[in-house]
């Protein structure tokens, strides 16, 4: 067992004293550990965990890891059809959740671990190593894919982030972002474990008034949010209690929004970050409160241990961002993965278009083909198209976003048939995450068919 894994596992006694949520008392960690041991899965077996944010989820995650299994967190609202697809795509051995119906997953063995039901689905040889961690991608690689990280890579990235944001044991951190995503799980939760700070877990869903109330009553000093939440706070004119540090990541923040946030007296330090799941996730940070105004349109500079380069820049310096980081994932896995995004010299292809100035400031320009950010979530339009093309009457599908950032899927039929668009939308809803389902589906005539 690595030092990083041992540190996470051995933190549970201390963590129980400095972590809390708004639910009922959680079961003892030792009981959870023993419950997973009784499942008798092979080392390296992947365990899918359904759970809302909470202390119990985090202790389940650690208990899975401590048994030599591979935890994989997923949204509690995920549809059965997508879970079944992930089960095959990622070679999931067991599925765990508070309201899990084992019958849906053809469970071979059922158990109760804490307040969660456990369904053992498959005992085939595992695809992973003990103390690996699966982090589902947020859409840039498709709906049924994940990154295989090691505990070491996650601890490394959380440590780099803590250093960049000056997070210490004196802080009180609030988590409102989903802990099944890399930001909430790694940057905030694992970051809190290794920094020694107090951790308060809330949400989602996000509510501005509750957010302010929780910060006030719990004397929160640091919190991380998405640009979508930041815009909501600005739009509402929400006044928060004083925060030592507010960090924002997950999508582009405009210079005007940075200036508006800095004008708020309750924000002492403002950090704009950039990252991606494959990188562990954080790559760069802009400490906006001390940065020159002309850099407000950037995501700052890469962490000191991370190297970056712009591949094939055009006349304006825009090119594909490659990063080399000690927190990179081991590989990507899943049904839609055709190749690994790594170069022979150890760089990760991000799929993002950037510029990089002489001082090292990185400026986001856009996504490469097929990858969009819609409603604050990354998605792969090719993944949507492939699902639509599963319908026997669909010859070809193409998904794009319009000027209002709404998804539109255009369909071309086999033999120029009339398509049942409602039937196709049901197919998409059954297989995709909510933010991936197109707002509009249009049948195009084959006379305008082109790929």
């Amino acid at each position: 067992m690595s030092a990083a894994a041992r540190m996470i596992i051995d933190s549970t006694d201390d963590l129980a004293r400095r972590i809390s949520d708004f639910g009922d008392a959680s079961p003892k960690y030792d009981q959870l550990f023993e419950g997973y041991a009784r499942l008798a899965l092979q080392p390296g077996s992947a365990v899918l965990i359904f759970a809302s944010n909470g202390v119990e989820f985090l202790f389940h995650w650690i208990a899975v890891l401590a048994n030599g299994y591979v935890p994989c967190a997923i949204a509690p609202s995920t549809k059965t059809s997508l879970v079944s697809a992930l089960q095959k795509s990622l070679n999931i051995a067991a599925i765990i959740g508070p309201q899990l119906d084992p019958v849906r997953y053809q469970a071979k063995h059922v158990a109760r671990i804490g307040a969660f039901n456990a369904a053992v689905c498959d005992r085939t040889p595992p695809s992973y190593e003990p103390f690996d961690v699966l982090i589902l991608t947020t859409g840039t690689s498709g709906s049924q894919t994940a990154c295989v990280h090691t505990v070491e890579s996650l601890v490394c990235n959380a440590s780099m982030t803590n250093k960049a944001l000056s997070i210490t044991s004196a802080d009180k951190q609030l988590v409102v972002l989903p802990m099944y995503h890399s930001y909430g799980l790694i940057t905030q939760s694992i970051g809190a474990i290794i920094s020694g700070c107090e951790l308060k877990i809330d949400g989602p869903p996000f509510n501005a008034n509750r957010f302010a109330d929780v910060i006030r009553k719990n004397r929160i000093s640091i919190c991380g949010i998405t640009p979508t939440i930041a815009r909501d706070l600005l739009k509402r004119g929400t006044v928060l209690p004083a925060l030592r540090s507010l960090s924002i990541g997950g999508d582009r923040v405009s210079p005007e929004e940075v200036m508006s946030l800095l004008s708020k007296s309750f924000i002492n330090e403002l950090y704009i970050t950039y990252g991606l799941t494959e990188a562990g996730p954080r790559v760069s940070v802009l400490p906006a409160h001390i940065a020159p105004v002309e850099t407000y349109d950037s995501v700052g500079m890469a962490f000191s241990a991370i190297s970056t380069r712009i591949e094939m820049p055009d006349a304006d310096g825009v090119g594909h961002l490659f990063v080399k980081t000690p927190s990179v994932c081991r590989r990507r896995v899943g049904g839609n993965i055709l190749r690994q995004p790594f170069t022979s010299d150890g760089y990760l292809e991000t799929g993002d278009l950037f510029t990089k100035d002489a001082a090292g400031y990185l400026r986001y320009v856009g996504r490469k083909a097929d990858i969009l950010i819609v409603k604050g979530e990354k998605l792969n339009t090719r993944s949507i198209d492939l699902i639509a093309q599963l319908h026997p009457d669909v010859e070809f599908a193409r998904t794009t976003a319009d000027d209002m950032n709404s998804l539109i899927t255009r369909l071309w039929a086999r033999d120029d048939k009339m398509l049942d668009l409602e039937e196709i939308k049901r197919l998409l809803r059954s297989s995709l995450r909510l933010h991936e389902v197109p707002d509009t589906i249009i049948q195009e005539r084959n006379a305008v068919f082109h790929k």
Side-chain angles (χ1 to χ4, degrees):
M1 183 185 300
S2 69
R6 175 55 63 193
M7 183 269 295
I8 293 290
I9 294 165
D10 288 348
S11 72
T12 52
D13 285 344
D14 176 59
L15 192 60
R17 292 189 289 269
R18 56 186 176 88
I19 183 173
S20 61
D21 57 24
F22 294 92
D24 297 329
S26 298
K28 299 292 185 181
Y29 168 77
D30 289 346
Q31 296 173 352
L32 301 182
F33 175 82
E34 292 167 2
Y36 284 105
R38 285 193 293 271
L39 293 183
L41 301 175
Q42 295 184 59
S45 294
V47 177
L48 195 65
I49 309 173
F50 279 100
S52 302
N53 280 18
V55 175
E56 182 161 13
F57 160 72
L58 191 56
F59 278 0
H60 273 272
W61 190 90
I62 296 173
V64 168
L65 190 74
N67 274 279
Y69 308 150
V70 177
C72 179
I74 192 170
S77 60
T78 306
K79 301 179 183 72
T80 302
S81 56
L82 180 55
V83 174
S84 297
L86 286 169
Q87 186 181 338
K88 297 176 183 177
S89 178
L90 303 180
N91 193 17
I92 300 296
I95 304 174
I96 314 295
Q99 297 177 332
L100 188 75
D101 181 3
V103 176
R104 292 186 177 184
Y105 305 106
Q106 300 177 338
K108 295 177 174 61
H109 174 73
V110 178
R112 186 77 173 171
I113 303 177
F116 289 11
N117 290 327
V120 176
C121 306
D122 202 338
R123 294 187 183 275
T124 56
S127 304
Y128 312 101
E129 299 292 328
F131 313 112
D132 280 350
V133 176
L134 285 175
I135 307 291
L136 295 178
T137 57
T138 53
T140 55
S141 303
S143 294
Q144 299 168 19
T145 60
C147 294
V148 182
H149 275 278
T150 62
V151 178
E152 290 92 330
S153 66
L154 304 186
V155 168
C156 174
N157 196 272
S159 179
M160 289 191 291
T161 305
N162 284 348
K163 181 180 179 181
L165 275 60
S166 302
I167 298 173
T168 71
S169 60
D171 282 305
K172 293 184 177 181
Q173 182 158 202
L174 174 63
V175 176
V176 296
L177 301 178
M179 293 171 69
Y180 49 83
H181 280 170
S182 57
Y183 199 159
L185 177 62
I186 304 167
T187 304
Q188 297 183 290
S189 301
I190 293 179
I193 290 174
I194 64 178
S195 73
C197 73
E198 292 185 34
L199 183 67
K200 191 73 176 182
I201 301 174
D202 195 28
F206 178 80
N207 177 281
N209 292 333
R210 178 178 173 83
F211 184 58
D213 192 51
V214 170
I215 292 172
R216 181 181 302 105
K217 289 182 178 178
N218 294 275
R219 299 180 179 180
I220 299 298
S221 63
I222 56 174
C223 186
I225 59 175
T226 63
T228 300
I229 291 176
R231 292 179 193 114
D232 182 62
L233 294 173
L234 290 172
K235 183 178 179 180
R236 294 173 181 273
T238 303
V239 177
L240 300 176
L243 284 168
R244 181 187 70 75
S245 169
L246 182 69
S247 61
I248 302 176
D251 194 357
R252 172 186 276 177
V253 183
S254 72
E256 294 75 20
E257 289 165 340
V258 171
M259 287 188 281
S260 293
L261 289 164
L262 287 172
S263 72
K264 305 301 181 184
S265 60
F266 51 79
I267 298 176
N268 184 34
E269 299 173 12
L270 177 65
Y271 297 92
I272 309 300
T273 69
Y274 163 76
L276 65 161
T277 305
E278 291 85 345
R282 297 297 101 188
V283 169
S284 71
V285 62
L286 175 74
H289 52 286
I290 57 173
V293 175
E294 59 269 22
T295 66
Y296 287 1
D297 62 344
S298 79
V299 292
M301 300 181 188
F303 293 161
S304 59
I306 297 178
S307 302
T308 63
R309 72 182 187 217
I310 305 297
E311 282 287 308
M312 300 178 65
D314 63 15
D316 297 318
V318 177
H320 188 178
L321 177 68
F322 284 26
V323 303
K324 190 173 188 178
T325 172
S327 61
V328 71
C329 68
R330 293 176 59 185
R331 65 186 187 278
R332 292 196 307 201
V333 291
N336 295 330
I337 298 298
L338 300 177
R339 58 179 292 272
Q340 295 297 326
F342 310 115
T343 65
S344 58
D345 56 350
Y347 278 78
L348 168 69
E349 303 170 10
T350 67
D352 290 323
L353 298 175
F354 269 83
T355 63
K356 180 180 177 180
D357 67 18
Y361 286 96
L362 296 166
R363 289 174 172 83
Y364 175 81
V365 176
R367 301 292 298 175
K368 289 195 73 180
D370 297 335
I371 296 173
L372 302 174
I373 295 178
V374 175
K375 301 168 186 171
E377 295 276 1
K378 293 178 184 177
L379 58 84
N380 188 325
T381 59
R382 183 60 180 153
S383 180
I384 299 171
D385 297 341
L386 289 172
I387 295 295
Q389 288 166 197
L390 291 175
H391 192 281
D393 293 335
V394 175
E395 172 71 19
F396 181 71
R398 174 176 287 160
T399 301
T400 58
D402 64 14
D403 293 340
M404 302 300 291
N405 207 26
S406 295
L407 281 179
I408 299 175
T409 296
R410 291 178 168 82
L411 306 173
W412 286 262
R414 297 183 190 278
D415 303 321
D416 214 16
K417 293 180 180 178
M418 286 298 298
L419 297 173
D420 185 338
L421 299 184
E422 283 303 313
E423 182 179 85
I424 294 169
K425 191 154 194 172
R426 286 194 295 270
L427 169 66
L428 294 170
R429 283 174 175 160
S430 70
S431 303
L432 298 171
R433 298 169 189 165
L434 184 61
H435 68 274
E436 295 172 320
V437 177
D439 299 285
T440 305
I441 300 177
I442 299 170
Q443 178 174 357
E444 298 281 9
R445 309 311 300 170
N446 283 7
V448 294
F449 177 86
H450 66 91
K451 297 185 180 182

